[in-house]
Amino acid sequence: LGSLFLGPLRDYVVDTLMSDDMRSIAFIDYQQVRHLITDHMDGKADHGYILWCLIYLVRWDYLHRKIFI
């Protein structure tokens, strides 16, 4: 995942994790997410798995709110 997030999925990762949908999840430290993204994109660390989990959480939360609220 890490290499895909640096290449073809880079914009998707950044757009998803920097979105208002991400900010609406109250228990997520948005500044920490930004730090994870920056470290990953700068090649300082491979946070691919964590970023994937966060993307999944954002999408799940969005669909949950859309369907049930």
Side-chain angles (χ1 to χ4, degrees):
L1 288 174
S3 60
L4 286 174
F5 290 166
L6 292 172
L9 295 178
R10 181 184 183 104
D11 291 339
Y12 177 76
V13 170
V14 173
D15 291 346
T16 301
L17 296 181
M18 302 292 278
S19 69
D20 289 338
D21 291 333
M22 177 57 132
R23 292 177 190 220
S24 71
I25 302 174
F27 60 87
I28 297 292
D29 182 348
Y30 184 72
Q31 296 303 320
Q32 184 63 33
V33 172
R34 287 182 55 196
H35 181 73
L36 290 170
I37 294 168
T38 302
D39 278 358
H40 186 83
M41 297 306 174
D42 290 346
K44 294 179 183 175
D46 183 356
H47 295 304
Y49 181 74
I50 295 169
L51 296 175
W52 174 251
C53 291
L54 289 169
I55 289 169
Y56 191 85
L57 175 66
V58 170
R59 292 301 177 205
W60 176 86
D61 182 67
Y62 173 79
L63 290 173
H64 176 76
R65 283 185 287 117
K66 186 174 181 178
I67 293 171
F68 295 109
I69 295 178

